[in-house]
Each structure stands twice: as structure tokens, then as C-alpha cells.
Amino acid sequence: MQSHVLREGTELTPQVLDLLARSCVANQAIAGMEARGWEALTGQSGFQPIKGFSVVGLEWSVVVNGNRVIVKSGVWASSRVPV
């Protein structure tokens, strides 16, 4: 990680961001391996290059595109159903 910007009051720390950055690199590598496998298995092309991905979690969501990452806590949009 070469640089980062943390919003004031966030729970994220530079250490957490470093771990997240390493996880993003690993996920990009795995996605590239899977894309290469799908191309070899199906004979189709167009699965590569992997440019980005997203992970949606209950407490945190991450959007990765190239060398930029957005980490969002909470819910992106309200999709709650009244109980």
C-alpha cells in the first residue's frame, strides 16, 4: 500500500488497510487463475483481464477496481423488509 486516506471517525486503521490490500492482491490473483482455467476449460475467451471485483458483507463491503479500493461500512442501500 503506497498511500491511503481514512475518513475521520472511521474504525479502520492503517494496519487493517494493509491487511485488506494484501487480501485484494490475493483475490485478484485467484480471480485471474479462475479466469485462465475457464478459458482453458471452455475454449471461450474474454474472462481476462480481471479489472476489479466487489465483496459485500454484513458489516463491511469492498469495491476494487485497478489499484483503487473503496471500503464502506454499513448498508449501501436499504433493502430491509419490515418484520
Side-chain angles (χ1 to χ4, degrees):
M1 182 171 63
Q2 294 177 349
S3 66
H4 65 276
V5 176
L6 292 174
R7 181 172 283 171
E8 188 175 325
T10 184
E11 297 175 21
L12 293 174
T13 65
Q15 293 80 16
V16 170
L17 287 179
D18 182 63
L19 177 61
L20 178 62
R22 293 172 189 276
S23 296
C24 288
V25 169
N27 280 325
Q28 288 278 73
I30 292 168
M33 179 185 66
E34 290 175 342
R36 186 175 298 166
W38 279 111
E39 287 182 345
L41 183 66
T42 64
Q44 296 180 355
S45 62
F47 294 100
Q48 297 187 69
I50 304 296
K51 295 182 180 178
F53 64 92
S54 61
V55 177
V56 178
L58 296 175
E59 295 182 24
W60 297 94
S61 297
V62 178
V63 177
V64 179
N65 190 356
N67 64 349
R68 306 246 188 238
V69 178
I70 297 174
V71 180
K72 172 85 168 83
S73 65
V75 180
W76 284 81
S78 179
S79 59
R80 297 177 184 215
V81 178
V83 178

